[in-house]
Structure formats: C-alpha cells, structure tokens
Amino acid sequence: MTARLLAGLERGLGAVVALILCALLVLVLTNVGLRYVFHTGFIGAEEAGIWLHLALISLAAPLALNGPLSMRFDIGLRFLPLSLRGVALMLADAFSVIAGLTLLLGAWKVTGLVGGTSPALGLPEWLRFSVVAVGGGLLLAILALSRLKENRAVGLLLSLLAGTGAYIAIPLVDFSASWPPSAILGLLAGVGLLVSAPLAHAFLASAALVGAFGSSLPEPALVSTAVNGMSKFLLLAIPFFLLVGSLLTASGAATRLVGFAAAMVGHRRAGLGQTVLLTSVIFSGASGSSVANAAFGAATFQPQLVKNGYPPAQAGAIIAATSVLDNVIPPSIAFLLLAAATNLSVGALLTGGFFAGALMAACLAIAIHLSVRTPGEGRPAAVGERLRAAAAALPAFGLGVIVVVGIRFGVATPTEAAALAALYALGLAVFARCSGGSVVAAFRQSAVEAGAIGLLIGSAGPFAFLLAVDDVGGLIAGLVHTLGSSPWLVLLSCNLVLLVVGLFLDIGAAILLIGPILLPVAVAAGIDPVHFGVILVVNLMIHGLTPPLGMLIYVVSGVTRVPAADLFRAVLPYLAALLAALFILCVLILIV
C-alpha cells in the first residue's frame, strides 16, 4: 500500500513538473518569437518565467530526496559500525525534517506577512511563497513514505521527533556565543553532511537551527532570502540545458556523437579512452552538466572499456575525469551560477571557457595516453567512414552554434539561447521518431535535476547572507593580502583558498558563496574579473574528483557499482593532469 502510494505521488508530481518545464519552454520561445518577428513581447514574460521556475524547483526538489541528485556525502557512513549507521541515517532524516518544516511553515508565515502584487503580473505576492510551502509539505510526505516503504518506521518516528523537537525549540532557547553565526551554521551543516543528509537540506536546516545561536536571520527572512536566490531569470537556462542533454540521449544524437569521436581517435593507443575524452568535449557543447555527462558516460562507455581490457576502476576514473569538461566548455551551468552571483558577463565567461576547456582536454589526453597500456582498438577509420560519422553527428553540432554564438554576439540572452537549444534538441527527437513516453521522461528527468540544483542555490542564500553579515569576505581578503598584494601572490592565495573550500563544499554552493567574496580581491590586485572567474570555475570543478565530496566520482560509482574508494585512487593521474592545466592557465592569465 505504501509503495503504491509513494509511486503514485512521485508519478503524479513528475508529470506536473514536466508540464511546468514545458510551459516554461513555450513561454520563453513565444516571447523570443514575438520579439524577432513582431518586434514586441508580452508584458510580464520574465516575471512569469521566474514564478514558474520557482514552482518547478519547489515541486521537483522533493523528488530528488533519494538517489545521486540528493548530493549526500555518504562515504562517512562506511567508517561507522553497523550499529551506528542507523543512528546516522536517522539524524540525516532529522535534518530533512527541519528543512521541510522550515520551507512549509516558514513560507506559510511569509504569506501572512507579505503584501502587494507583483509589478508585471498583478498577482498577489503571497502566491510565490505558497508554492514553496507546498514543496516543503511534499518533501515531508515523500520522506515519510520512502522510509515506511524501506521498513524503517522506528527510524522515521525518531527522526520526526528529533527534527520537530529541534524546530520547535529554536525560538525558545538562546545559545548565543562568541562565535559568529556563519561559523556555527558551517559546523552544523558539516554535521549534517557527515551523517549523510542531503546537501541542500543540511544548509537549510542549519540556517534554521542557527537562529538559536544569535542569528540575525529570523525564519521568514530565511525563507525570503532563499526564494530571492532562486528568483533570477538567468537561472531558467539551467533546466533548458539539462533538457537538451536528456533529449540528445533520447534522440540517439548523443550516440552519433560517440560514433564520430570513435571514428576520429578510436584506433590510437588508449583509443577508447581518448574516444571518451573527445565525446565529453563534443557533448559538453550540448548538456552543460558534468553530472549528466558522467551518468551518460558511465552507462555508455564503462562496459566497453572493461571489455577492451581497462581495469574497472581506471575506466570509471577516465569517465569521471573527462566529465569535468562539461561545466567548463560552453554551455556551462557553473558559469551561469557564477554570472548570477557576481553579475559577470555570461558571454565573456563562456568564451574563456572554450580556451580553458581545450587546455584541460589536452592535458587529459596526455595523461590517458601515458596511463593506459592497452593498444589501439581496431584499424584507423577510412576517410569515407569519418565523413559519414561527421555527417551523422552534424545535427548535434548545431547546438553549440545556437548557444555560444547566440549569447556571445548578443542575439539572445543566455536563457533564450538555452530555450532555442532545447527546441532544436526536441526537433531532433521528433525527427528521430522518439516515442512520446521517452520525450516526457526527458522533461521529467530534467525538471527533477533542475529542482535539485535550484534548491541548492536557494539554500546557499541564507549562508551567503550570514557570511556577509559576519564580514567573512573581509576576513578572507585580509588573509589573502597578508600573503602579498602582487597579482601572482593573490592568485596563488585565492587558488589555495578554493582548493581547501572545494574539499568541503559542493561545487555549486562554493561558486555561490565564495565567488562574490574572492572576485573583488582579485580585481583589486589587477586581475581581469572574467579571467579570474574562469580560474575559479576550473579550480572548483576539479573537486568533482577529490574526496570527500567528489560528486562525479559518486555518480560514476553509483552507475558502475565500482567502489568510490577505488575510483578516488584510480583518478589520481587525471587529477594531476587537471591541476597542471590549472597551473598553466594561471601562468598564461598573468603573463598575457
């Protein structure tokens, strides 16, 4: 009964978020068409898009509670005895309970406080927060049904009691101390991560709990800050780019890209490994998501690599390492997050990403060549075979033209270019006669991924606010300047800060929290802000491969069933290659 109820709720909610994503796509494309054909547009299109995107995040994020999209740091559980793992999982669920209650009741409180109507739509502002409250309730419902399905009723009861009790106690106790609230929030979030709470839930719950430690952010303000962080039109590009990757896979265009890469380099030494690399370079121009490419590569290449003599751990490490490129080579969700947090030019960042991605790919190619001992697989492809493979893959190459040219030359905004790319990918799927079910599944999957990312963006907002209140940016700037004020020393110091931060923060959260702090420091030292933005993204993306949080390693491990510890060891040569690329990039930026 519980399993059927959970499946029905997830199925219905998945259909709703897929429909919202479809409505978002139609809205943006219609406005683009009206502007270019009739030189007009309808009032409130941008605001309507932001409201729909907020609804998408609120309703889709609960579906990401289980699985890789929850962004759990579960490696710590492996070092606990079995008797304590249940306690850790109960505490993790308690963090999710606090997060759900904060969204549900905190947003409900805001609906009673906020007044007025939206400037363009004329709708009451409380509607925006009501959907967030619904999302919090859905999170609690899915959590409860999931644990009952897993026969963990006792653990569920304890987590509900612990989470609810802590939530109720927040305004009743005062643990004010000399430590700044942002530091306490960081410690509480660290505890949440150690017990395997979802990253966004750990941030939200800790932001609520720190209210008992003298935080200047009461619950309604906390929710408002999170909602404001998600309410940016630029962020609408994220679900569209994710949709492009899903539709490419569904249409078979991604497979044709693999065929083209194999025809070009498959015959060389470590040819299949080089094919994985070249596929990542090409596929990055479509998906913009390293996680999406890691999952695709693990499912597509791992069996073939192992069949051709690659050790399973090395095969998975190559897939994870090459997936780093997807958030560097345009289009890049990481650059979109950085632009949203710092107001840097998206077009300029994407241009810098081309060069950085090419340099990283070259270093990875050398590392794969030196580390893989297998001979070339097969004979060199004939010219005719390569031309046919290129012709088959040609339609997918059009996506890069739409996105990069459209944004760089001001033809379309990043969100509009992403929507046009999604329409193009949808056309490829229709031309390939994909079933309606596979297209709907692509919309649903993309919506859920976008919900998980969007909730993370929102959950980082309160943390960033408290960091600003506690002047952590000033402290970091002072620390950097104590090591010297020359561009060389400032860039070295910033890279060291990023390398440490990336060990403990998710890539997206680190960009949103640390980017606005370090960028002014770099600019004051005379470093070009766009160039520094590229360095920041490259540095943090490398942490997709480093313990303890290496998200790309965990994605590949989850798909291939190769232990994460084995992958972390096998990825070391490719990690060294990426660090070498980062060093070369820093040197070039400083001497050019």
Side-chain angles (χ1 to χ4, degrees):
M1 177 63 181
T2 301
R4 288 198 300 272
L5 187 57
L6 177 61
L9 177 58
E10 291 180 334
R11 188 164 51 249
L13 199 53
V16 170
V17 296
L19 186 61
I20 293 175
L21 179 53
C22 183
L24 263 177
L25 185 60
V26 170
L27 173 70
V28 175
L29 291 174
T30 301
N31 205 45
V32 172
L34 288 174
R35 187 171 78 245
Y36 281 103
V37 177
F38 300 104
H39 306 288
T40 184
F42 53 85
I43 298 174
E46 182 171 324
E47 195 169 277
I50 291 172
W51 281 43
L52 282 172
H53 186 226
L54 181 61
L56 175 70
I57 294 170
S58 301
L59 301 180
L63 292 172
L65 174 66
N66 303 304
L69 290 174
S70 63
M71 305 179 203
R72 296 176 185 266
F73 170 49
D74 59 1
I75 195 170
L77 295 179
R78 300 178 185 179
F79 296 99
L80 291 176
L82 289 175
S83 59
L84 293 180
R85 289 184 189 179
V87 176
L89 292 173
M90 182 272 292
L91 290 174
D93 284 347
F95 273 86
S96 294
V97 169
I98 298 172
L101 289 173
T102 301
L103 292 173
L104 172 61
L105 301 179
W108 184 254
K109 292 174 186 176
V110 176
T111 61
L113 297 173
V114 70
T117 59
S118 63
L121 298 176
L123 296 173
E125 281 287 345
W126 62 265
L127 282 176
R128 267 200 314 155
F129 295 91
S130 64
V131 72
V132 177
V134 171
L138 287 169
L139 171 60
L140 294 173
I142 289 179
L143 172 65
L145 291 172
S146 297
R147 299 304 172 253
L148 290 174
K149 178 186 174 183
E150 297 165 1
N151 295 318
R152 289 171 53 190
V154 174
L156 171 64
L157 178 61
L158 292 174
S159 62
L160 286 173
L161 290 173
T164 304
Y167 177 83
I168 293 173
I170 291 170
L172 304 178
V173 298
D174 185 4
F175 295 124
S176 297
S178 58
W179 282 31
S182 60
I184 297 173
L185 193 158
L187 288 174
L188 290 172
V191 172
L193 292 178
L194 286 175
V195 297
S196 189
L199 180 60
H201 298 179
F203 275 171
L204 279 174
S206 300
L209 290 171
V210 82
F213 295 86
S215 169
S216 58
L217 201 62
E219 188 180 46
L222 186 161
V223 174
S224 295
T225 302
V227 169
N228 289 336
M230 296 182 279
S231 300
K232 296 179 181 179
F233 189 70
L234 174 63
L235 298 178
L236 269 66
I238 294 176
F240 294 150
F241 281 138
L242 293 170
L243 180 59
V244 168
S246 296
L247 289 173
L248 273 186
T249 302
S251 67
T255 303
R256 290 190 287 275
L257 288 174
V258 174
F260 170 73
M264 300 304 295
V265 298
H267 62 283
R268 300 180 181 275
R269 175 185 167 182
L272 196 52
Q274 302 290 4
T275 298
V276 174
L277 171 61
L278 185 55
T279 302
S280 284
V281 172
I282 298 170
F283 198 55
S284 64
S287 72
S289 167
S290 289
V291 171
N293 193 42
F296 168 78
T300 304
F301 289 115
Q302 174 80 4
Q304 194 64 33
L305 285 166
V306 173
K307 183 179 177 181
N308 281 271
Y310 290 70
Q314 184 181 51
I318 291 173
I319 292 166
T322 56
S323 298
V324 169
L325 301 176
D326 285 71
N327 255 330
V328 177
I329 299 175
S332 163
I333 291 174
F335 283 135
L336 289 175
L337 293 179
L338 181 61
T342 61
N343 294 319
L344 288 175
S345 165
V346 176
L349 286 171
L350 294 181
T351 301
F354 266 124
F355 177 78
L359 177 61
M360 295 166 73
C363 291
L364 281 174
I366 295 172
I368 291 172
H369 180 80
L370 295 177
S371 63
V372 175
R373 300 303 178 189
T374 61
E377 291 94 10
R379 59 175 178 78
V383 174
E385 292 174 322
R386 292 183 177 181
L387 290 176
R388 285 191 294 274
L394 190 61
F397 292 141
L399 287 164
V401 176
I402 292 172
V403 174
V404 178
V405 173
I407 295 174
R408 191 68 182 96
F409 293 98
V411 178
T413 66
T415 298
E416 292 171 346
L420 290 169
L423 177 63
Y424 183 88
L426 181 59
L428 292 180
V430 172
F431 183 77
R433 297 182 178 180
C434 289
S435 67
S438 62
V439 172
V440 170
F443 272 83
R444 182 192 184 281
Q445 175 187 338
S446 304
V448 175
E449 291 172 351
I453 295 172
L455 184 62
L456 176 61
I457 294 170
S459 68
F463 199 174
F465 177 87
L466 291 177
L467 288 174
V469 170
D470 296 334
D471 194 29
V472 174
L475 293 175
I476 293 178
L479 175 63
V480 170
H481 286 308
T482 58
L483 301 176
S485 58
S486 71
W488 286 89
L489 290 174
V490 168
L491 191 56
L492 174 62
S493 302
C494 287
N495 271 298
L496 291 176
V497 169
L498 290 169
L499 286 171
V500 173
V501 165
L503 292 174
F504 305 104
L505 275 183
D506 171 78
I507 296 161
I511 290 173
L512 293 167
L513 296 174
I514 305 300
I517 292 175
L518 290 183
L519 184 64
V521 176
V523 172
I527 301 171
D528 182 271
V530 173
H531 292 167
F532 180 77
V534 173
I535 291 289
L536 183 144
V537 168
V538 169
N539 187 310
L540 291 175
M541 280 308 306
I542 291 174
H543 284 290
L545 307 175
T546 59
L549 290 181
M551 180 58 64
L552 299 179
I553 293 293
Y554 290 122
V555 170
V556 172
S557 175
V559 175
T560 63
R561 307 302 179 192
V562 176
D566 295 346
L567 291 174
F568 278 125
R569 285 192 293 269
V571 85
L572 289 176
Y574 315 117
L575 183 59
L578 292 171
L579 289 171
L582 175 64
F583 175 77
I584 295 170
L585 195 60
C586 291
V587 171
L588 291 176
I589 284 176
L590 289 172
I591 65 175
V592 173

